[in-house]
Amino acid sequence: RVRYHMDTAAWPHWAFSVMRKPWFWMEALVCTLHLPPAVTFLMQSVSMGNVIMYRAETIDCALSLLRLYLLWPIVEHYILADMPFRHAIANMAKVDIGPTFAMKRVMAS
């Protein structure tokens, strides 16, 4: 039985199934965006006659904020941690106690 699980969890099976999903590649792109050291430039835009200039570091910082979504599973677990029987309750009531329930719980408190 253990041998079966070890054989089915071999690297190529799960790795290729994950790599085929477009969300994997979007997440990989978001997580690998970095400004190389000693690279800087200025971008400018004109808004209502005013010239606004942005440094490369500022733009990279704004793009790095996109990675905050990686914290959501930890926050969700923390919110639902004081409900030890949440899986049993979810099975009996036939409801999903997941991210939506966690947000409802935060908004209700």
Side-chain angles (χ1 to χ4, degrees):
R1 183 173 181 187
V2 173
R3 176 83 176 143
Y4 173 75
H5 292 298
M6 290 174 68
D7 288 341
T8 58
W11 185 83
H13 298 293
W14 64 266
F16 292 132
S17 67
V18 169
M19 293 167 115
R20 276 186 256 147
K21 297 180 180 177
W23 283 108
F24 169 77
W25 292 107
M26 289 175 58
E27 185 171 344
L29 179 68
V30 167
C31 290
T32 57
L33 287 176
H34 289 287
L35 193 64
V39 173
T40 187
F41 57 87
L42 291 173
M43 287 183 59
Q44 68 178 6
S45 67
V46 179
S47 175
M48 296 174 26
N50 296 323
V51 177
I52 302 170
M53 300 188 82
Y54 299 102
R55 291 186 58 120
E57 292 84 1
T58 306
I59 296 168
D60 186 49
C61 181
L63 291 174
S64 295
L65 286 174
L66 293 174
R67 294 185 217 152
L68 285 177
Y69 76 93
L70 295 172
L71 292 176
W72 175 248
I74 297 167
V75 172
E76 178 187 348
H77 178 72
Y78 177 76
I79 292 168
L80 299 175
D82 63 339
M83 295 178 62
F85 300 110
R86 67 181 174 269
H87 300 296
I89 294 168
N91 285 336
M92 284 188 278
K94 306 257 190 282
V95 295
D96 180 33
I97 297 182
T100 307
F101 182 79
M103 284 307 296
K104 286 180 183 178
R105 188 163 183 206
V106 167
M107 296 299 174
S109 61

